[in-house]
Amino acid sequence: MERVTSGVGELDLILGGGFPLNSLSIIAGSPGTGKTVLSQQFVYANARPDAPALYLTTLSEPASKMLRYLQQFSFFDERKLLDAPPAIVYRDIAAMLRTKGFDALPQTLSDMLGEYRPSYLVIDSFKALRDLGRSGPELRQPLFDLAGSLAARSCTTLLVGEYTAQELDELPEFAIADGIIHLVNRPYGTRDERYLRVRKLRGSGYRAGEHAFRIAGHGLSIFPRLVTPSEPAAYSSPTDRISTGVAGLDRMTHGGLRRGSSTLVVGAAGTGKTLLGLHFLFAGVAAGEHGLLVSFQENPTLLRQLTAGLGWNVKELDEGGRLSSVYVSPAEMNIDDVVQRVMAVLEAKPIRRVVIDSLGDLEAASSDPQRFRSYIYSLMQLFAVRGVTSYATSESLVDPGYSSFTRVGASYISDNVIALRYFVEGGLGPDQAIARTLSVVKCRGGAHDQHIRRITIGAHGVEVGRPAPR
């Protein structure tokens, strides 16, 4: 099936390559969700003088006002309006519709299509045309005939409208449409979250579910929903082990972590979770592997100060440029955005180790707990298929019975679980002090040390010592 681009690369991926050629699709959503911006990206990406686009505005927004706002976007190209003949033609048919009414629309539309012979057509807003016609059942047949006439034309058509989710299931234009894209804008805390869902794409597969997006200076930025990868034919689970960067932890796991496995480290603030992750990354860099740090807790400047305080020279450790980082402030975090940034680094570099610090921040940024769990599962599976060994932290108090970590959303899908705790040593006298312990709670596919061992943080980072007193 031949396709035309939607004007947004990520949406083309979701649609399986773009809109089917000569199809009729509806862009639906409440006011302010980005329908017009998406439609404009579509025409500016496709229109040429020999394959022009006709953009009709009805009763929602005058074409002149729309063009003023449109100029702020980077995809706007005034040459497409000034070409001879022009690549894009805007026509405001609101005055004609107010004068002649809905009954004049089919002939007016037919005349314009005959005059401009567009390869691409947008009617914005198609839903507003309902205000001109008769209400109820009397309006179904004219709208159905109009939508059917548009579908028969040799042009790719977008109908834009302020439709509710319920109307998508009830109104006749959705029955004739080849494609339906629904945009929503939901308030979440102090920010809004935008999502796009393909509800229908006749004769074609597409990536189902909700996909987050943002509107920026270049238009829509869409973050396709991460799905669990299919296992390639050549995929096999590695059996070799890699160092954690901490000799005592390597001994506890009987040789280190299995390559391609996922590790969750749970503990309260200050127990050493981030530091263990840095040990793991730097050990990989020292072995010639590429590593990625995904951090929401400490920005790069604070991390450099932390490592410098331990006597680690990050520049010397990363002499070959093998250490990459993605830092996102937890105040403005979007889980879909984070995952796409991670994916971009995985595509650009041969990453073999990933540290995510922390999952709690990712979960807090997700408005849907089920969506968070699905993303983490899919991400861990993607790492495994690529042979990437992952390490993630989660801030949580570990109770003496070691049951609290099971409430952490990723514990059941992680191959390895490490618990960090505080304990008090020195009795009740003046020698009383707070110390730390480490225990390997889970190590899938291999034996491990069952002891709860004391750890210290010193000039060389984390060191694992003797079993802690009971």
Side-chain angles (χ1 to χ4, degrees):
M1 181 183 296
E2 192 173 350
R3 307 271 182 163
V4 296
T5 181
S6 65
V8 184
E10 297 88 353
L11 181 54
D12 289 347
L13 174 66
I14 293 168
L15 295 171
F19 291 111
L21 183 67
N22 298 332
S23 63
L24 185 152
S25 298
I26 298 179
I27 311 297
S30 57
T33 50
K35 303 181 300 299
T36 296
V37 177
L38 175 57
S39 302
Q40 299 284 0
Q41 286 184 266
F42 166 72
V43 296
Y44 276 87
N46 288 291
R48 309 185 309 271
D50 61 335
L54 177 60
Y55 201 109
L56 301 180
T57 60
T58 59
L59 304 175
S60 56
E61 187 173 49
S64 58
K65 182 179 179 182
M66 181 186 298
L67 282 170
R68 285 201 303 272
Y69 287 117
L70 183 62
Q71 294 177 39
Q72 68 182 305
F73 291 103
S74 61
F75 62 79
F76 176 76
D77 184 356
E78 65 177 6
R79 292 172 299 178
K80 289 184 178 286
L81 308 179
L82 302 176
D83 286 337
I88 302 174
V89 176
Y90 288 90
R91 287 293 179 266
D92 187 347
I93 59 174
M96 181 278 298
L97 291 173
R98 291 190 189 97
T99 302
K100 298 182 180 180
F102 180 80
D103 292 339
L105 178 64
Q107 186 59 51
T108 300
L109 187 58
S110 178
D111 292 344
M112 286 188 166
L113 292 177
E115 178 183 357
Y116 297 107
R117 298 187 180 279
S119 296
Y120 310 98
L121 171 67
V122 176
I123 301 180
D124 185 4
S125 152
F126 190 76
K127 172 71 181 301
L129 298 178
R130 288 182 159 273
D131 297 334
L132 300 172
R134 299 171 293 277
S135 60
E138 294 180 346
L139 190 58
R140 283 185 73 92
Q141 191 59 48
L143 279 174
F144 192 85
D145 291 342
L146 179 59
S149 175
L150 290 173
R153 295 280 176 173
S154 294
C155 69
T156 308
T157 302
L158 297 185
L159 306 181
V160 182
E162 297 75 27
Y163 296 97
T164 65
Q166 182 178 351
E167 288 174 326
L168 267 62
D169 299 323
E170 297 176 350
L171 299 183
E173 49 264 46
F174 294 100
I176 195 66
D178 299 304
I180 302 171
I181 296 178
H182 189 207
L183 308 181
V184 298
N185 189 10
R186 300 194 195 110
Y188 177 65
T190 58
R191 67 178 190 270
D192 291 336
E193 291 190 347
R194 301 175 186 268
Y195 292 98
L196 173 151
R197 181 192 292 269
V198 180
R199 297 286 296 267
K200 176 184 179 182
L201 194 62
R202 182 174 286 136
S204 174
Y206 57 88
R207 187 174 294 192
E210 287 189 334
H211 310 277
F213 73 93
R214 290 176 178 167
I215 300 177
H218 58 274
L220 268 67
S221 290
I222 303 176
F223 311 111
R225 185 177 66 86
L226 183 65
V227 295
T228 303
S230 57
E231 185 175 301
Y235 171 70
S236 60
S237 180
T239 58
D240 61 310
R241 291 184 173 269
I242 59 175
S243 173
T244 63
V246 178
L249 183 54
D250 287 348
R251 289 192 294 270
M252 291 183 71
T253 54
H254 292 194
L257 305 175
R258 179 173 52 79
R259 186 179 299 279
S261 64
S262 56
T263 299
L264 175 68
V265 179
V266 184
T271 50
K273 302 183 298 298
T274 299
L275 194 53
L276 277 178
L278 294 176
H279 273 288
F280 172 68
L281 274 183
F282 292 148
V285 169
E289 298 180 341
H290 284 255
L292 170 63
L293 173 63
V294 184
S295 177
F296 320 116
Q297 294 283 329
E298 283 88 12
N299 62 45
T301 299
L302 289 175
L303 283 173
R304 283 194 294 271
Q305 293 174 353
L306 170 64
T307 53
L310 295 169
W312 296 351
N313 189 317
V314 176
K315 286 188 176 180
E316 288 182 4
L317 288 168
D318 185 28
E319 212 170 297
R322 291 184 290 267
L323 184 60
S324 302
S325 64
V326 170
Y327 170 73
V328 183
S329 167
E332 299 297 332
M333 193 191 312
N334 179 289
I335 187 171
D336 303 84
D337 183 12
V338 172
V339 169
Q340 290 304 311
R341 292 193 196 189
V342 171
M343 294 289 293
V345 178
L346 292 181
E347 292 296 332
K349 294 187 175 182
I351 300 296
R352 287 295 170 263
R353 299 189 185 207
V354 172
V355 170
I356 301 176
D357 187 24
S358 73
L359 291 184
D361 292 309
L362 267 182
E363 186 172 16
S366 177
S367 55
D368 181 359
Q370 182 57 48
R371 185 180 182 87
F372 166 75
R373 287 191 291 270
S374 297
Y375 260 76
I376 295 303
Y377 177 78
S378 297
L379 196 58
M380 296 304 179
Q381 291 300 304
L382 176 71
F383 289 154
V385 168
R386 288 174 172 253
V388 175
T389 310
S390 61
Y391 170 109
T393 70
S394 181
E395 186 169 319
S396 177
L397 289 174
V398 179
D399 64 292
Y402 287 85
S403 61
S404 60
F405 76 87
T406 60
R407 293 193 292 271
V408 178
S411 62
Y412 71 101
I413 61 173
S414 300
D415 298 308
N416 315 302
V417 177
I418 296 172
L420 302 176
R421 285 185 62 212
Y422 290 115
F423 76 98
V424 178
E425 64 178 357
L428 299 176
D431 294 330
Q432 187 181 64
I434 295 176
R436 300 175 177 88
T437 66
L438 179 151
S439 55
V440 179
V441 181
K442 175 184 177 183
C443 193
R444 183 175 289 153
H448 60 91
D449 188 335
Q450 303 286 338
H451 288 96
I452 300 172
R453 294 189 174 271
R454 178 178 175 174
I455 61 171
T456 57
I457 298 177
H460 301 291
V462 177
E463 294 184 0
V464 179
R466 65 185 186 278
R470 296 182 180 276

